[in-house]
Amino acid sequence: MPDPDIRLIAVDMDGTLLRPDGTIPGRLWPLLRRLRERGIAFAPASGRQLATLRAMFAGAEGELDYIAENGAHVVRGEQEVSIDALAPVFVARTIARLRALDAVGTRLGIVVCGERSAYVDDCDPVFLAETRKYYRALEVVDDVAAVEDRVLKLAVYDFVDGETRTAPALADLHPDHQVVVSGVHWVDVMNAGVDKGVALRGLQRALGVTPAQTVAFGDYLNDLELLRAADHSYAMADAHPDVAAIARHRAPSNAEDGVVTVIEGLLAAPATA
């Protein structure tokens, strides 16, 4: 059982908190109230945009903290903690490169993740259905390269497998930028130094919380740094092997409401004075 002096819980969404059908476990809602009463902050940490996360937690009482866009956008309630935008020249160059990959057979969909909205210009029904799962504020435009917004991230949907196809094709973007596999089909491109772990550390500073007072849950490669930023790190039962290797604890799978089960155990422990 982790130290009961916990002040912050950061939770990945897909494959971690969310059930396989994409819903939030009903048992979480009363726990959020109890966490607030105990002075424990709760932060969804996701590749999803801020608008999507806020909509998903609209039923929660009080304000939550959010780590959105894989760490490129962090807020506490209505207060912005940090935002990290890509250079427009880099965005244009990378979009052109992705389009070239698509033209030679690596079927890709591109999402330009802006501060105000996400943008696509590909109307493939499979791609749009997947994109709408993660981006509530979504605009279909004529050309994503012409979008006028602060771009926090480029999200690339590989129709086959992002880890083995798209991510290696973009590997030379390092060390100036992050190329993160965030799902079987998704690869995210962000500025160097942007990840969920950096975001969590910024939130820790804003809250006056230490890693020893932090719990984090994750299951996939974009959660590695999130777990490294918390002394009480949990990999889900069916996590990616690299995630399982660095986590200090294991949680039951998302199909078993593993995050909720662990939090219930935390709240059953006596609070530290």
Side-chain angles (χ1 to χ4, degrees), residues 8-140:
L8 172 61
I9 299 175
V11 181
D12 172 55
M13 297 292 286
D14 295 276
T16 301
L17 175 63
L18 299 182
R19 289 173 169 161
D21 64 1
T23 60
I24 294 174
R27 290 160 56 201
L28 180 70
W29 303 112
L31 287 183
L32 293 179
R33 185 183 316 112
R34 293 172 61 194
L35 289 173
R36 189 172 66 254
E37 292 168 353
R38 289 274 291 267
I40 301 172
F42 184 85
S46 176
R48 296 171 185 248
Q49 68 181 176
L50 179 61
T52 301
L53 292 176
R54 280 181 165 156
M56 295 178 75
F57 286 91
E61 297 179 14
E63 294 182 337
L64 301 181
D65 303 313
Y66 294 100
I67 296 172
E69 306 285 12
N70 271 333
H73 200 186
V74 184
V75 299
R76 293 205 63 224
E78 297 300 322
Q79 178 183 355
E80 189 172 281
V81 175
S82 63
I83 190 166
D84 199 314
L86 293 164
V89 171
F90 173 79
V91 171
R93 186 169 67 242
T94 305
I95 289 172
R97 181 171 174 175
L98 291 167
R99 285 173 169 169
L101 284 172
D102 181 77
V104 296
T106 305
R107 180 71 177 98
L108 304 174
I110 303 169
V111 186
V112 172
C113 306
E115 182 180 6
R116 297 190 304 271
S117 178
Y119 307 88
V120 297
D121 58 15
D122 186 333
C123 292
D124 182 287
V126 172
F127 171 60
L128 281 179
E130 287 298 310
T131 301
R132 287 185 172 125
K133 290 180 183 178
Y134 306 106
Y135 301 96
R136 181 180 179 87
L138 179 67
E139 294 183 26
V140 179

